[in-house]
Amino acid sequence: MKQLINEAINKLQDTFYDVSKYIGQNPELGHEEFKACKALTDVLKEQGFTVEIGTCDLLTAFTAVYDSQKPGPSIGFMAEYDALPDLGHACGHNLIGTMSIAAGIGLSKAVAETGGKVYVYGTPAEETRGGKVTMAEQGIFNHLDVAMMVHPYYCHQKSGRSLAMDAIQFEFFGKSAHAAAAPHEGINALDGVLQTFNSINALRQHVKPDVRIHGVITEGGKAANVVPDYAVAQFYVRASTRAYVDEVTEKVKACANGAALATGTKLKISNYEFSYDDMQTNQTLSDVYTNNLISLGVSEQSITEDQGDHGSLDMGNVSQVVPAIHPYIQICDDYFVCHTHEFREAALSEQGREAMILGAQTMALTGYDVLTNQTLLQKIKEEFNATKSK
């Protein structure tokens, strides 16, 4: 049956190649991925999936299901397909989305025998206001037994952790005045921003090593001879757990409140993107994926352990509600990091497309193992429940 799954994916590989290339050459920002959504769902419909577009009122989200009409587990594959401003698909999401529909289609060829359901979820805007956050909050994934996706990378890497993250915006409101003739009549909003940065820099020596706080000034005034009456800073606050991010975020907000008090400005605090939870890899499921990757010809020595350097993922929110994995697959031989022009070209290369097929087959085989091994599924769930209880 595993051979049948692999053959089904191979048979359609030209279709998958065309879809990934089309998405890669037509990059769309988060929640604007109409072309990508249509390209992916058209293939799923052709392969017998029932498709709903607009899940959770997200216009470019979708839910696709292949129901065997027999009892059994539900396997979920997560598709991403948003691009980056100016860089296009420099994170390889053109491969991710296509890889997940290929995995779902491959596994669907086996469920008539195994029972169960295969789901493919279109999850827009991972780079900003991640669709998985909304979908997880609304319980879309709660019925799944496992969830998985594979991310392109410069090497094969096991699923590991990601950083929880908050995206905070500070708006300072002051009073404009002529900076030379009447500076005493002004209240400098930019000073509020600068004091916030200084206070956060002082805070860094009193947080744990896993914390990352980084920000930019998006508005700092219009002219040097006018006291700025409006200034804005945006920060990401990250740490290895949601609980510690919550703690550090409150300290960062205190820095901004103190800056407002010191400069006489008024302050508005908001979130400019969604908060992401930390990724909780299900190790049992991850081991099954790794074993299947090896069975498809990847040497065990070339698969590295997670290095903890992948930033933040909205897949983390999925992993809080269902056993999940987010491993990485090699698409290039050189060290190209994500969000670069070089990585974008790798995601459009022949090697990238071959990796996409390999990742799809590995996920599909992993799903098959879960469908056919009740003892394995029980072990996956026991680990998930133990992790949540902590």
Side-chain angles (χ1 to χ4, degrees):
M1 188 58 69
K2 284 192 170 184
Q3 183 177 350
L4 173 67
I5 291 171
N6 287 338
E7 289 175 352
I9 294 173
N10 284 332
K11 183 179 179 180
L12 290 168
Q13 61 179 298
D14 288 344
T15 297
F16 300 138
Y17 287 169
D18 289 343
V19 171
S20 67
K21 182 179 179 180
Y22 173 76
I23 295 173
Q25 293 180 342
N26 293 274
E28 300 164 295
L29 300 180
H31 297 302
E32 299 175 7
E33 316 100 317
F34 295 100
K35 293 178 181 178
C37 179
K38 184 178 187 306
L40 295 167
T41 54
D42 280 353
V43 178
L44 288 164
K45 291 175 185 176
E46 290 170 2
Q47 295 300 316
F49 280 72
T50 301
V51 177
E52 168 205 77
I53 297 176
T55 303
C56 296
D57 294 324
L58 302 174
L59 295 181
T60 55
F62 67 81
T63 300
V65 59
Y66 192 98
D67 189 348
S68 70
Q69 304 299 325
K70 297 179 180 179
S74 293
I75 311 298
F77 301 103
M78 305 292 149
E80 297 175 0
Y81 34 89
D82 61 318
L84 293 156
D86 301 322
L87 287 172
H89 278 284
C91 206
H93 290 192
N94 59 308
L95 298 179
I96 294 175
T98 315
M99 200 183 319
S100 287
I101 71 162
I105 290 167
L107 184 58
S108 73
K109 308 306 180 184
V111 293
E113 177 181 303
T114 66
K117 298 178 182 180
V118 180
Y119 287 85
V120 181
Y121 291 98
T123 63
E126 187 275 336
E127 298 289 355
T128 51
R129 303 179 72 85
K132 296 184 198 67
V133 176
T134 301
M135 295 165 83
E137 286 177 347
Q138 295 191 21
I140 297 299
F141 309 125
N142 289 359
H143 68 286
L144 292 177
D145 289 280
V146 298
M148 63 187 96
M149 61 172 285
V150 174
H151 200 294
Y153 204 44
Y154 68 87
C155 65
H156 297 292
Q157 194 169 102
K158 297 178 182 180
S159 182
R161 297 187 64 88
S162 67
L163 299 176
M165 178 270 286
D166 283 338
I168 314 169
Q169 177 170 282
F170 299 120
E171 295 176 90
F172 289 86
F173 301 87
K175 180 183 178 183
S176 64
H178 195 293
H184 54 284
E185 294 182 1
I187 300 174
N188 196 319
L190 180 59
D191 282 346
V193 167
L194 297 177
Q195 289 291 348
T196 299
F197 271 88
N198 290 334
S199 296
I200 289 173
N201 286 337
L203 172 65
R204 296 181 197 280
Q205 61 185 307
H206 302 294
V207 295
K208 296 176 181 179
D210 60 287
V211 170
R212 302 288 184 269
I213 309 172
H214 39 108
V216 294
I217 300 172
T218 60
E219 182 76 45
K222 301 301 184 184
N225 64 345
V226 178
V227 175
D229 64 347
Y230 180 67
V232 183
Q234 293 180 338
F235 287 88
Y236 287 114
V237 180
R238 309 181 198 253
S240 59
T241 66
R242 165 50 51 193
Y244 196 49
V245 166
D246 290 343
E247 181 179 333
V248 175
T249 292
E250 290 307 308
K251 294 180 179 180
V252 169
K253 289 179 179 178
C255 290
N257 280 311
L261 181 64
T263 57
T265 54
K266 296 186 184 301
L267 173 64
K268 178 183 176 181
I269 301 175
S270 60
N271 292 89
Y272 64 95
E273 291 177 4
F274 286 166
S275 295
Y276 289 0
D277 289 341
D278 47 301
M279 178 72 198
Q280 295 281 348
T281 284
N282 186 278
Q283 193 58 52
T284 304
L285 183 61
S286 178
D287 289 344
V288 176
Y289 173 89
T290 300
N291 289 336
N292 279 308
L293 186 61
I294 294 169
S295 76
L296 290 171
V298 176
S299 70
E300 185 174 0
Q301 291 72 27
S302 70
I303 305 171
T304 65
E305 298 291 336
D306 171 61
Q307 303 300 312
D309 56 357
H310 296 296
S312 305
L313 317 161
D314 64 352
M315 189 65 176
N317 296 65
V318 180
S319 74
Q320 304 292 328
V321 297
V322 59
I325 57 171
H326 183 284
Y328 295 80
I329 198 155
Q330 183 177 357
I331 68 166
C332 52
D333 295 324
D334 297 310
Y335 176 78
F336 296 148
V337 295
C338 300
H339 295 204
T340 62
H341 294 286
E342 293 83 0
F343 200 82
R344 178 192 62 205
E345 296 309 307
L348 288 168
S349 70
E350 181 66 24
Q351 186 176 356
R353 292 192 292 270
E354 290 174 357
M356 175 184 69
I357 297 300
L358 174 62
Q361 290 175 330
T362 309
M363 282 196 290
L365 298 184
T366 302
Y368 178 79
D369 287 336
V370 175
L371 287 173
T372 57
N373 189 333
Q374 183 60 40
T375 302
L376 169 63
L377 179 57
Q378 185 62 32
K379 186 178 178 183
I380 288 170
K381 291 186 173 183
E382 287 174 355
E383 178 187 334
F384 175 75
N385 292 332
T387 300
K388 282 190 69 71
S389 69
K390 294 179 182 179

